[in-house]
Amino acid sequence: MSRGKSMVANSSGVVERVPMDQVLLEDERYRLTRGNPAEDLIESIARLGCFTPPICWRQGEGLIPVAGFKRLKALQIIHAHSGDTPSDKQIEVRVLSSAVDWLEMMACSAGEVLKDRPLNPFECGRAIKRGLEAGFSREEMVKALLPLLGLEPFINVLKQHLKLMATPERLVQWLEPHNPPLKRALFFSRIKESDVGAVMEVVEGIQPSLRGLEVLCQLIGECARREEMNWEDLLEK
């Protein structure tokens, strides 16, 4: 994999009109964000069209999404309700060169978000975890990837975001929309998978704020250790 190229892949590639079903939306290897497109995005694209083509990378007969996942999902929803036959469902995407490497594609994915806001800690953690899975060393990630994510290039920053990836998925789904700062998010990474059910019961029961849930979890944890009980049994008691 190339390490020295300028990270300008988001301005490269060729806009092509392709069948909607050629885009492999279930492949989320480059996706950092979560969630579905908002209704106003769907309505805007349906009424005015998609002005900024999503970015994809060709692999065999399919196209792997790299950036613009919510626009792609919005286009899929619009076409699903259009009554068109599969061969008529054409969309415009920017197709990257096959020579583009992993870092350049991650630069596209991160850049899509950074145009509007900083990446949240979970999004940064996903990028770092996927970089390690792609074969990069931690030292390479610190030097090459962290700056692309808007992070300081220090090994401790990388370790903290990797630690965050231990947070149980059900808890991440609730936490991420609240956009917690890294330090606060790391507190929740210490909660065990076996205790998540109890935490979610609290969330569903009283709808706490982020800070409120943090305080409650601290209290429950302290009581559970003192009583030598798991969280679920403690709450039932």
Side-chain angles (χ1 to χ4, degrees):
M1 285 179 280
S2 170
R3 302 290 195 268
K5 294 181 181 178
S6 174
M7 299 304 146
V8 294
N10 56 339
S11 61
S12 65
V14 177
V15 175
E16 298 181 19
R17 194 161 181 81
V18 301
M20 181 77 227
D21 57 7
Q22 198 176 101
V23 180
L24 306 177
L25 264 176
E26 69 279 3
D27 191 322
E28 297 190 343
R29 71 182 79 175
Y30 298 111
R31 186 173 191 181
L32 301 180
T33 60
R34 291 286 183 88
N36 293 314
E39 286 298 324
D40 58 351
L41 176 62
I42 298 171
E43 291 173 6
S44 173
I45 291 176
R47 185 163 49 91
L48 303 173
C50 187
F51 294 118
T52 305
I55 301 173
C56 296
W57 177 67
R58 193 177 299 283
Q59 186 178 64
E61 297 299 315
L63 289 165
I64 310 298
V66 174
F69 283 85
K70 290 185 180 179
R71 294 196 300 278
L72 283 168
K73 185 64 177 177
L75 286 164
Q76 184 187 55
I77 292 170
I78 292 165
H79 282 296
H81 291 88
S82 68
D84 293 340
T85 62
S87 60
D88 292 330
K89 295 177 181 178
Q90 302 272 322
I91 63 170
E92 284 191 348
V93 298
R94 185 175 295 278
V95 182
L96 298 177
S97 163
S98 59
V100 170
D101 69 12
W102 185 89
L103 274 175
E104 290 174 300
M105 286 190 276
M106 191 51 64
C108 285
S109 185
E112 175 85 7
V113 182
L114 289 168
K115 288 186 298 184
D116 301 316
R117 61 170 176 81
L119 292 162
N120 69 48
F122 295 101
E123 291 164 343
C124 291
R126 285 182 201 114
I128 293 167
K129 182 179 178 183
R130 288 170 186 172
L132 293 174
E133 292 169 349
F136 289 84
S137 69
R138 293 191 174 203
E139 291 73 21
E140 288 172 321
M141 300 289 285
V142 168
K143 181 179 178 180
L145 180 64
L146 295 196
L148 294 179
L149 304 177
L151 300 176
E152 294 292 326
F154 299 117
I155 190 67
N156 190 51
V157 173
L158 180 140
K159 289 179 177 178
Q160 287 179 319
H161 283 86
L162 283 177
K163 182 179 179 182
L164 188 61
M165 292 295 92
T167 310
E169 179 59 26
R170 287 180 64 194
L171 197 49
V172 171
Q173 291 175 9
W174 186 85
L175 288 169
E176 191 165 358
H178 291 77
N179 195 24
L182 178 60
K183 184 176 180 180
R184 181 161 289 173
L186 282 168
F187 165 80
F188 293 99
S189 72
R190 301 197 297 267
I191 295 175
K192 298 176 182 177
E193 185 71 48
S194 58
D195 294 326
V196 171
V199 175
M200 298 315 296
E201 284 185 20
V202 171
V203 167
E204 292 163 6
I206 64 175
Q207 298 293 312
S209 65
L210 182 64
R211 176 57 180 161
L213 183 62
E214 183 180 4
V215 171
L216 282 169
C217 287
Q218 287 174 335
L219 292 173
I220 295 169
E222 290 169 5
C223 290
R225 285 191 294 273
R226 187 170 58 248
E227 299 293 331
E228 297 183 342
M229 300 174 68
N230 64 44
W231 290 28
E232 187 173 357
D233 290 342
L234 179 68
L235 288 174
E236 286 184 1
K237 179 181 177 181

